[in-house]
């Protein structure tokens, strides 16, 4: 006979949580677990109830032959605010101050626990954006973009700073970066089909020139930018070159001379997906 309920539930939970957003066919699972689909449905109801109670997301079932079930990750509001408060505390370190009002964040954005949590939060914020791809620009934004893409079960596309032979034919644009330098962005034509829906993720936003340039680049691909998320933005300059974005933390004050620094959690609201 089939596996015991407890073993089925462990296997189902592992399969679902390992592949967020990926639709798992019930028929395949029934065969793999050598169990009836009706038993699986009861198992899934138990798993869904526990996920919701724990606030770590929900299960979404799609009926029909090509149907199935998938795990929709979510981060409880309390966990989001605890994480962002902890990040703000770590970041508000005068030794992190760099010339030009930038901050050294790379160590924090190299930590697996930070990348995992930030990726989950971005995936939760943008869960309804309908994105097909997560886009970032080399270099520091890449780990963050890959983590968000993992939880959204989407491919990651990386914009290059200059053309590389290994990218084939590409679209390039020039833009003015925050430090008033003319910079180039280049993206292989093969990387995105036309009319793609793209979520932009980056580590840092100051003038907004980089994010704006990625939006302009997407126009060359006839792609739609469905959201922009950054790990940290600066309060200065207030009028950014790009208005509509979500920042997880904000560098609200920094002074290289006095070495004063203040970092705050970003102001955004996420509805707990799958709430009863
Ligand atoms: O909002 P802006 O004023 O445009 O600045 C934000 C840019 C600058 C910085 O990248 P760089 O340090 O230029 O490049 P890399 O990520 O490769 O280190 C950061 O990663 C963002 O992409």
């Amino acid at each position: 006979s089939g596996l015991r309920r407890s073993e089925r539930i462990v296997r189902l939970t592992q399969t679902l949580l390992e592949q967020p957003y990926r639709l798992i066919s019930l028929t395949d699972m029934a065969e793999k677990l050598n169990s009836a689909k009706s038993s699986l449905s009861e198992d899934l109801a138990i798993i869904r109830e526990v996920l919701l109670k724990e606030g770590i997301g929900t299960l979404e079932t799609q009926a029909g032959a090509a149907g199935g079930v998938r795990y929709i990750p979510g981060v409880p509001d309390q966990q989001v605010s605890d994480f962002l408060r902890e990040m703000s505390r770590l970041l508000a370190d005068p030794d992190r101050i760099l010339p030009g009002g930038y901050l050294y964040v790379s160590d924090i954005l190299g930590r697996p626990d930070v990348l995992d949590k930030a990726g989950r939060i971005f995936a939760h914020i943008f869960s309804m954006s309908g994105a097909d791809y997560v886009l970032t620009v080399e270099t520091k934004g890449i780990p963050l973009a890959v983590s968000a893409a993992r939880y959204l079960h989407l491919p990651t596309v990386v914009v290059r700073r200059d053309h590389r032979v290994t990218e084939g034919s590409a679209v390039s644009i020039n833009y003015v970066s925050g430090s008033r330098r003319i910079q180039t962005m280049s993206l292989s034509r093969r990387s995105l089909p036309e009319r793609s829906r793209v979520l932009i993720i980056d580590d840092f936003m100051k003038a907004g020139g980089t994010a704006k340039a990625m939006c302009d680049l997407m126009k060359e691909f006839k792609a739609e930018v469905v959201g922009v998320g950054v790990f940290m933005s600066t309060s200065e300059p207030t009028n950014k070159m790009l208005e509509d974005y979500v920042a997880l933390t904000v560098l609200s004050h920094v002074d290289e001379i006095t070495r004063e620094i203040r970092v705050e959690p970003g102001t955004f609201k996420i509805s707990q997906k799958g709430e009863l």
Side-chain angles (χ1 to χ4, degrees), residues 96-161:
R96 290 181 177 282
I97 295 174
L98 298 172
Y102 287 93
L103 214 59
Y104 182 76
V105 185
S106 298
D107 56 326
I108 289 183
L109 287 185
R111 279 175 41 181
D113 58 324
V114 171
L115 289 167
D116 185 73
K117 189 66 97 179
R120 280 174 177 275
I121 293 171
F122 278 132
H124 194 161
I125 295 169
F126 295 108
S127 64
M128 307 307 280
S129 66
D132 309 310
Y133 293 88
V134 172
L135 183 81
T136 191
V137 60
E138 61 181 346
T139 305
K140 291 194 287 291
I142 295 175
L144 205 55
V146 168
S147 181
R150 176 206 184 286
Y151 282 109
L152 285 166
H153 192 56
L154 296 177
T156 305
V157 172
V158 179
V159 175
R160 306 301 301 264
R161 291 266 188 228

Side-chain angles (χ1 to χ4, degrees), residues 83-93 249 263-265:
F83 172 71
L84 297 185
R85 231 191 338 273
E86 171 58 11
M87 289 298 107
S88 302
R89 188 187 64 77
L90 281 175
L91 289 162
D93 173 353
T249 60
V263 179
E264 290 151 17

Side-chain angles (χ1 to χ4, degrees), residues 36-240:
K37 280 170 78 167
S38 54
S39 327
L40 289 195
S41 302
E42 287 158 17
D43 300 343
L44 291 168
I46 295 167
I47 298 169
R48 186 176 186 281
E49 189 189 333
V50 173
L51 292 180
L52 280 174
K53 212 182 290 177
E54 284 299 298
I56 54 174
T58 184
L59 296 185
E60 205 173 69
T61 44
Q62 285 177 14
V69 60
R70 60 183 182 163
Y71 164 54
I72 310 287
V75 184
D77 289 351
Q78 189 54 52
Q79 276 191 35
V80 175
S81 46
D82 292 351
F83 172 71
L84 297 185
R85 231 191 338 273
E86 171 58 11
M87 289 298 107
S88 302
R89 188 187 64 77
L90 281 175
L91 289 162
D93 173 353
D95 293 340
R96 290 181 177 282
I97 295 174
L98 298 172
Y102 287 93
L103 214 59
Y104 182 76
V105 185
S106 298
D107 56 326
I108 289 183
L109 287 185
R111 279 175 41 181
D113 58 324
V114 171
L115 289 167
D116 185 73
K117 189 66 97 179
R120 280 174 177 275
I121 293 171
F122 278 132
H124 194 161
I125 295 169
F126 295 108
S127 64
M128 307 307 280
S129 66
D132 309 310
Y133 293 88
V134 172
L135 183 81
T136 191
V137 60
E138 61 181 346
T139 305
K140 291 194 287 291
I142 295 175
L144 205 55
V146 168
S147 181
R150 176 206 184 286
Y151 282 109
L152 285 166
H153 192 56
L154 296 177
T156 305
V157 172
V158 179
V159 175
R160 306 301 301 264
R161 291 266 188 228
D162 47 33
H163 183 256
R164 282 275 192 290
V165 171
T166 49
E167 301 272 5
S169 87
V171 178
S172 298
I173 63 164
N174 296 319
Y175 68 101
V176 178
S177 77
S179 39
R180 293 277 162 271
R181 275 176 298 135
I182 297 277
Q183 289 202 344
T184 301
M185 274 186 191
S186 174
L187 184 59
S188 162
R189 281 197 180 289
R190 291 173 168 82
S191 59
L192 281 175
E194 286 199 353
R195 295 200 217 307
S196 298
R197 294 162 60 82
V198 170
L199 170 63
I200 290 174
I201 296 290
D202 206 357
D203 63 314
F204 201 85
M205 179 189 282
K206 187 163 179 289
T210 304
K212 167 84 170 55
M214 280 193 267
C215 292
D216 293 343
L217 187 57
M218 285 302 100
K219 290 194 183 89
E220 301 292 329
F221 284 79
K222 297 189 179 59
E224 180 190 359
V225 175
V226 295
V228 178
V230 293
F231 186 76
M232 171 173 258
S233 71
T234 57
S235 53
E236 293 300 325
T238 41
N239 56 332
K240 306 252 187 234

